[in-house]
Amino acid sequence: MSQRPVPLDRLPDLPDAGAGLSRAQVAAQQRWGTNDIVSSESGGWRQVLRDSLRDPMLGFLLLTAALFGALGQWTEALTLLAAIVPLLAMDAVLHRRTQASSAGLASRLASHARVLRDGEWQTVPARELVPGDLVEVPPGDHIPADGLLVGGEALQADESTLTGESLPVVKRALPVHGPLPDRADDVHWASAGTRLLTGQARLRVMHTGADTRYGEIVRSARVDTQGRTPLQQAIGGLVRGLLGLAVAVCLVLAAVRLWQGHGWVDALLSAVTLAVAALPEEFPVVYTFFLGVGVFRLARRKALVRRAVAVENIGRVSCIVSDKTGTLTAGALVLAHLQPAPGCDDAVLLERAARAARADSGDPMDQALHAAASAVPSDRLLATFPFTEARRRETLVWQCDGGAMLACSKGAPETMLALCALPPAEREAWLARVDALAAGGHKVIAVAWRDGVGTETPQDEPSDGFRLAGLLAFEDPVRYGVREALASCLAAGIRVVMCTGDHPRTATAVARDIGLGAGDPRVLALGPEADLAALLAEGGRLDGVARATPAQKVELVQALQRQGELVAVTGDGVNDVPALRAADIGVAMGERGTRSAREVAPVVLLDDNFGTLVAAVAEGRQLFQNLRLAFAYLLLIHMPLVVGAALIPMLGLPLLFLPLHIVWLELLIHPTAMLAFQDLPPQGPLAAAVRGQPARFFAPQAWWVILGLGALMSAALVGGYLLAPGPNADAPHARAMALGLLTAISAAAVIGLTGLRRPAARWAALGTLASGVVLIQWPASSRLLELAPLHGSDWGLIVVALVAVSLAAAALARRLKA
């Protein structure tokens, strides 16, 4: 049993163990601060805006919008500014969520406390408690601060939100016959944020506010772990590279046009036109749009995304660290097995057990017994002998109809069997049944009864003459769908580690039940001084850890991250908050989860279904795949666009694209990139998780394919311009040929990359081709765009290019999905 140090230096001198503080002592003890979890901090909207603008992605969007505004391209500038608004809004919501998280954490504390001061019991605000206060806590109330239990019997506490222990935890008052010891066992401590289930406790306050165990969790929850995601960094690098290349090419083009003697106006027009075509503003805009689409699609799967970048990370998860209580299991004590003794049946066993349980008890076991039993006779209750650690049983004595007495008792099987006159062999058989049930992770009790206690109310608890009614086994059942969801995770190469503060035997039974470790799970039992990193380094498979503290959960997450895992953490309690913050993606339970867990986690499962997380991972992976296809399209269409816009003028020929042409092309490229790829369905099973690799859009081989295909399309575009009849004498015809090829390339890229598997992709390809034909062939629009209608042979070449690029893009799509 672990011990905690008693901070004797925090306590004033007290005349005896049952004394309260005087007014002067309270004033002196206020130097330790108020009993607040954490002081509220409000940075204001200016601080939120400053923090948001530190993101290089937002800075680039603002800079690019300003550049487009300076160039007179107000449509592009406004589009970029519109993309900035939701990002700023998300940061503002995240700021508000952090404040709400602190409020949610604080809501788990008692608002008032009954305290002994100046010799009188009085009720004061809980935030006014100081170390040394003597507090009285009735059953059902939250513990207001950390302290030593110095009074009370039959004490049980619900510590599930703090430690993950699913069953009630027995507590005992510290026998004090003089000065307090310098250390005390955990069983004598009560912690802020937990709830007293049974008994009436007296608590000597030791730690308040941020110094409590609850306060430590809150401080870790408030640490700002926001940072740019790997994919954001990859996009930033890609954009910076393309931006630098675009600026360099624009400067070179302007210098070449001046050297060729075209003058400053022509040089500026050439550079500006190329700049509009080459600036890679589509990449961050498309990324932002896809994240928004991902938020909507995950919401349809009952996964609420509170921070849009979580859509990116959830698709790259390679390891899930899952809390047990309330996540894999229902988080409720359920009567699972009944084993009546000979001469009894299930109904009699339940009736005797319910008679041994107080109806007004806060103990989940007593509540489960009354819920399972049919109507208990409304007899007169004569005496109650509550459960204590010394006796390890609880007995209720009833007066039945006709005046007969009935004593019903329940408790530890060893204790109850000793009260019954059983042959040794039969007793051993019952103990074997107890061991078998306990090995399955059940909490087992025995029930016995005795008739004819007497005619008057007994003063002492009956201790002999009992008959065994049987055994009852309770469990926290596995949630519906968890086994199937876990199998899907393992099939996709996603590692699952169960992490709980529960008993190792219970954790192992649950791990075996849900299929971890192929039915033979390896579950480590952690102690207070356990070195998780060393345990993991020892090698071997790890399916779960038990008796884990909140700090050890964080340590587990960080150790897995160092092994190259991208870790998702699921949880529902206050004890899960630090791990939810430390994870690459935190996932909270929406129905049962505490408000603090829901507010800290960027993803909340609205139905508390572990299977929903698996579906969200699949959705995230498909979204990432669709985003890669969209970026491949942007690269494929921009390479011939930029090469043609730069190379043709450098050869001393008339400009290939006029500003009006660029506007037309951008009006095609933007909606195509955002709409044609965002809703593509998955093909084949969920891809295997990838570990230890940096986030990137394309593998080196895919980059070579993209660059090679882009080079061929650029050569076709430049060749189409140069080989068109009379490129110098008939520039409109040459431009029409080049633009026809470019629209065909755009449509072909959509056809090949998407396979036209969604209506949006089909409409995008058809619309691109139709716009090219109409604008080039319709005399009015061709004159406006300074083009000339093409001949049948020209369109024949364009059709050949369309087919060839479609086939090449389809091959690229297969490589990207491999």
Side-chain angles (χ1 to χ4, degrees), residues 622-692:
Q622 184 59 41
L623 189 81
F624 178 68
Q625 175 65 21
N626 294 347
L627 185 61
R628 288 206 301 172
L629 293 173
F631 275 30
Y633 164 79
L634 289 173
L635 289 170
L636 290 178
I637 194 65
H638 270 83
M639 277 192 280
L641 176 62
V642 173
V643 169
L647 186 58
I648 296 298
M650 287 183 183
L651 296 177
L653 300 173
L655 292 177
L656 174 57
F657 301 124
L658 301 177
L660 199 56
H661 301 152
I662 298 298
V663 172
W664 167 31
L665 292 172
E666 291 295 324
L667 289 176
L668 290 177
I669 294 171
H670 275 254
T672 297
M674 290 191 290
L675 300 177
F677 299 92
Q678 56 88 15
D679 195 31
L680 296 179
Q683 284 186 312
L686 193 62
V690 179
R691 294 174 169 81

Side-chain angles (χ1 to χ4, degrees), residues 392-418:
R392 295 178 60 80
R393 66 182 175 116
E394 179 176 26
T395 302
L396 275 67
V397 180
W398 301 84
Q399 185 178 43
C400 304
D401 291 341
M405 300 292 182
L406 175 67
C408 295
S409 184
K410 62 178 175 63
E414 298 85 354
T415 301
M416 301 307 301
L417 289 171

Side-chain angles (χ1 to χ4, degrees), residues 713-734:
M713 292 189 299
S714 300
L717 183 71
V718 174
Y721 181 91
L722 295 176
L723 298 178
N728 290 307
D730 192 5
H733 189 188

Side-chain angles (χ1 to χ4, degrees), residues 151-228:
E153 290 191 358
L155 303 177
Q156 294 187 88
D158 175 9
E159 296 187 339
S160 60
T161 59
L162 191 65
T163 67
E165 174 68 64
S166 60
L167 300 175
V169 178
V170 173
K171 295 292 182 180
R172 293 201 301 270
L174 182 69
V176 178
H177 305 290
L180 290 173
D182 57 359
R183 300 184 69 84
D185 293 337
D186 279 341
V187 73
H188 302 307
W189 283 89
S191 299
T194 65
R195 188 165 64 93
L196 187 66
L197 294 175
T198 60
Q200 181 142 324
R202 288 198 176 180
L203 177 78
R204 181 70 67 181
V205 175
M206 297 292 167
H207 297 287
T208 57
D211 295 324
T212 63
R213 295 173 68 189
Y214 202 95
E216 294 174 1
I217 292 177
V218 173
R219 287 201 302 274
S220 67
R222 287 180 61 88
V223 173
D224 186 7
T225 57
Q226 296 184 54
R228 298 181 69 214

